[in-house]
Amino acid sequence: MMSRNAIAMVASLGALALNGCTVPPSQSAPQSAAEALRPYYATLPGDLPQANAGATLDVSQPIQRIAFGSCNHQHRHQTIWPVIAGHDPDLFLMIGNNVYGDYGYRGDADLETFADAYRLQASHPEFIAFRAQVPMLASWDDHDFGPNDSGGSFAFRERSEQLFESFWRSSETVRARPGIYESVTTGPEGQRLQIIMLDTRFFRDPLETQPYSYEWPALGSYAITDDPDATMLGAAQWAWLAEELAEPAELRLIVSSIQILTDAHNWEKWGNMPRERERLYEALAARNGGGLVFLSGDRHSGAIYYGEPEALGEGVWELTSSSLNYSFRSGDNRDREPDPLRRSGFMSDENFGLVEIDWANGRVTLDLKAADGSSMHAEQLRFR
């Protein structure tokens, strides 16, 4: 394990170079702390943790049922996996906090607690059996990316990406670029489903915090920024997203680890960067056809939302599912967080989301499922 002093020395080398201090002429000055750390990472053992190979997604076939979830702690029970499998999904989306790698993390560059979290998750029989039956795609959130609420300023994000891509057996396309964003289109013409998995961590600028106040509501401490340069996705991912949305599809699922529509709290959300959210709406408004649904997690509660953003120019539904095995409360907590966009309770019991597509009639059912498989709340919408 690299000591904190060693980390500081490596990071200082990058900082000195950036500040114009000289380095030996035989050396190329690192342009960032991340670049300075790469030679060290190259010396670490290459046997990174991996999940079992799992089922393969046949992209030529139409998808009718997708399950998804977030907030799965590797040290907690894994009883929800056979329940989800019992609903026979064609695909499962892990959309963030898939493990809690920051549990016990003390700031080492190796991210050993993250590697240990993946190893433990890979060993659970229920998880192994589920992967053998159901194809999976994954994105991350803060606790499997870095420390709580971390973003692009996390110094060891490149190591985190290595661990993620190894464990989830990411495609060569994902491995070839910074960040872990990904898009998959399935089905023949007339039944094309595009799944866009956004990366809201690797490139995101730091969030602004509210000044301390005794009157703070118990709904988070992040402020709204009007900084025109603040980014959620970063330039490369924004350009990629525009290209993906130019592709034809009859239905698109936009997967974000954090919530998109709501402004009812001050935790992490797209609304903390309203210019970026407007940019997202504008990009989606310019898409090459197809219905639209948002999927999100993060909140340790589940709910269904409906909004009509002006920049989008149409109504859109969002299903938030969290958490798979790490709930903080129980029951319906809607009174704690009033929200005019929410069309359901704010359900804090363990849960997963189910998206069912009726291609023949152009309908989608969004269903928030309890850990026993029963429905907490469902909504049906038309996408054509």
Side-chain angles (χ1 to χ4, degrees), residues 259 261-265 299 305-306 334 336-344 346:
Q259 291 182 306
L261 288 174
T262 185
D263 288 315
H265 62 84
R299 297 298 315 285
Y305 302 79
Y306 177 77
R334 71 178 72 196
R336 180 175 177 269
E337 187 175 307
D339 191 337
L341 300 184
R342 198 171 55 238
R343 296 294 185 264
S344 68
F346 194 54

Side-chain angles (χ1 to χ4, degrees), residues 5-307:
N5 288 339
I7 295 166
M9 290 177 65
V10 172
S12 294
L13 177 60
L16 287 171
L18 290 173
N19 284 318
C21 295
T22 60
V23 296
S26 61
Q27 298 181 17
S28 175
Q31 299 301 299
S32 66
E35 184 179 344
L37 282 163
R38 287 171 195 158
Y40 167 68
Y41 286 143
T43 69
L44 298 179
D47 56 338
L48 300 180
Q50 281 192 321
N52 56 306
T56 301
L57 177 66
D58 184 352
V59 298
S60 70
Q61 297 301 308
I63 283 182
Q64 296 178 309
R65 189 177 298 108
I66 293 178
F68 77 99
S70 65
C71 304
N72 172 75
H73 202 298
Q74 67 278 1
H75 285 288
R76 296 178 65 86
H77 67 84
Q78 304 284 318
T79 56
I80 203 167
W81 296 113
V83 177
I84 301 172
H87 285 75
D88 196 25
D90 300 309
L91 178 65
F92 186 84
L93 308 177
M94 291 290 288
I95 67 169
N97 295 335
N98 309 317
V99 297
Y100 281 72
D102 61 344
Y103 180 73
Y105 180 60
R106 294 295 182 267
D108 65 274
D110 309 60
L111 301 188
E112 273 303 305
T113 61
F114 289 77
D116 289 343
Y118 283 127
R119 290 188 188 99
L120 179 55
Q121 186 60 37
S123 73
H124 288 299
E126 302 95 333
F127 181 70
I128 293 170
F130 184 85
R131 281 185 58 81
Q133 178 178 341
V134 182
M136 300 179 77
L137 293 175
S139 186
W140 58 17
D141 202 27
D142 49 343
H143 297 286
D144 49 346
F145 168 77
N148 183 51
D149 294 352
S150 52
S153 61
F154 180 46
F156 311 136
R157 61 180 182 163
E158 291 187 6
R159 179 63 174 176
S160 182
E161 182 178 1
Q162 290 176 346
L163 290 166
F164 177 96
E165 290 172 351
S166 171
F167 183 81
W168 291 110
R169 299 173 177 263
S170 297
S171 68
E172 290 303 316
T173 300
V174 172
R175 292 171 185 260
R177 62 193 177 208
I180 51 88
Y181 53 92
E182 183 173 19
S183 176
V184 174
T185 299
T186 66
E189 184 174 355
Q191 296 178 310
R192 290 170 296 193
L193 173 68
Q194 185 184 47
I195 304 166
I196 295 179
M197 307 280 283
L198 298 176
D199 182 344
T200 64
R201 293 293 163 185
F202 195 88
F203 307 97
R204 196 209 69 197
D205 283 332
L207 301 178
E208 293 187 8
T209 56
Q210 300 181 39
Y212 179 79
S213 169
Y214 284 112
E215 287 74 39
W216 271 356
L219 293 173
S221 60
Y222 291 116
I224 295 173
T225 179
D226 59 0
D227 182 356
D229 297 322
T231 187
M232 183 73 74
L233 301 183
Q237 188 175 184
W238 275 118
W240 166 86
L241 179 60
E243 292 175 357
E244 293 300 318
L245 293 172
E247 296 296 321
E250 281 69 52
L251 179 64
R252 304 176 200 265
L253 302 182
I254 308 301
V255 182
S256 168
S257 68
I258 58 174
Q259 291 182 306
I260 299 174
L261 288 174
T262 185
D263 288 315
H265 62 84
N266 299 315
W267 305 115
E268 293 183 295
K269 62 183 186 299
W270 274 81
N272 294 333
M273 294 183 178
R275 292 174 184 264
E276 286 289 87
R277 186 169 63 176
E278 289 294 290
R279 184 177 182 179
L280 177 65
Y281 292 153
E282 290 168 358
L284 295 172
R287 70 190 184 276
N288 185 9
L292 195 63
V293 173
F294 295 158
L295 305 181
S296 58
D298 180 59
R299 297 298 315 285
H300 295 269
S301 291
I304 299 178
Y305 302 79
Y306 177 77

